[in-house]
Amino acid sequence: MSTQVPRLFDGLVDDAAVFPPGSATLPDAVAAHRRHRAAWYANLVGPLLLPASVLPDLPALLGAEERIEIGVIGDVPIPNLYSLRDRVDPRIRIRQVEAAVAKRGEDPLPGLAALAGLPAHLDDADVYAEIPLTWGLLGALDRLARERAAGKRIAAKFRTGGLAAELFPTPVELAAVIGACRDRALPFKLTAGLHHAIRHIDPETGFTHHGFVNILAGAAVAQTGAEVAEVAEVLAATDPLPLVETARSRRDQVRPLWTGFGSCSVMEPLTDLVRLGLVNGGYQP
């Protein structure tokens, strides 16, 4: 068990090894996740994220007494997700289910309405509605806030990257989303493009990627009531020193609103945290 990962980073990185650009095979991903869960940095790692369509193949890869926690990514129609619990091997615990409710430019409300009943079918699992950062966003967040107020374990998920430049929100756009979630007391998850701690330009694609420590610091600033411009300034920063100091000062606190992010690599975020002195890397005797 890890004793070196501060509370701020608990479960920060969901293990998305089977998804691009890593694209590990299911057997390799399960074996690697098993190693992560036994490593000194285990507290950093969230569930293994798997497409719903591969779940029938998972039990054959588990030991007779083995238990595994997963997050299910809805690559099937939303109505098909309602029977997940009945179709999953008892050795498998579904921690969360994530599903896109609309494509860019589509109204997210119909898909969100279809997803809103899912939490009641999944015991203690959290449900994340992936909402495009386009038209209809605020209405969707209002609907999510009402569902949470009614007691449902449903929250938001947003993309912060992809294979095209327009899939990377600007610091102002992301700051506005963080502020909107704060104003609604709405937890959110992020995915795509967050392998590294500090905002940077990918030398291969030329895309500017958000840094996950920037987002940790930005969410912390937002939680104090900061306006969009101030949060955007934190998200846009490339000097690691003030960002690290903000994170370091909150090491023993729970992350405000931001639940974490999926990454096809667990080691890249971990390496950055160790390099920046935010996690004391090394193995326990």
Side-chain angles (χ1 to χ4, degrees), residues 30-154:
V30 170
H33 188 73
R34 197 178 283 128
R35 292 192 295 271
H36 294 321
R37 298 307 310 163
W40 63 267
Y41 54 84
N43 288 9
L44 176 72
V45 185
L48 177 64
L49 301 184
L50 297 175
S53 59
V54 308
L55 294 188
D57 301 324
L58 180 58
L61 301 174
L62 302 178
E65 303 300 323
E66 187 173 5
R67 298 292 184 269
I68 190 170
E69 295 189 344
I70 66 168
V72 177
I73 306 299
D75 63 338
V76 298
I78 288 174
N80 293 11
L81 298 174
Y82 277 70
S83 60
L84 274 177
R85 184 184 63 181
D86 300 329
R87 294 187 285 114
V88 169
D89 186 285
R91 293 170 294 174
I92 300 168
R93 179 194 170 201
I94 298 177
R95 277 262 307 271
Q96 61 206 45
V97 177
E98 308 171 20
V101 297
K103 297 178 181 178
R104 288 173 63 86
E106 292 181 347
D107 183 358
L109 289 178
L112 186 51
L115 192 64
L118 183 58
H121 292 255
L122 291 172
D123 297 327
D124 61 346
D126 293 308
V127 173
Y128 289 92
E130 183 180 321
I131 305 170
L133 299 180
T134 55
W135 176 81
L137 170 63
L138 294 182
L141 295 183
D142 287 339
R143 173 66 186 267
L144 278 177
R146 291 195 297 271
E147 297 290 350
R148 285 189 67 82
K152 294 182 179 177
R153 296 182 62 154
I154 191 166

Side-chain angles (χ1 to χ4, degrees), residues 226-248:
E227 298 294 333
V228 168
E230 185 178 350
V231 177
E233 185 176 349
V234 175
L235 297 179
T238 55
D239 180 357
L241 293 180
L243 298 171
V244 167
E245 198 50 48
T246 298
R248 193 189 306 280

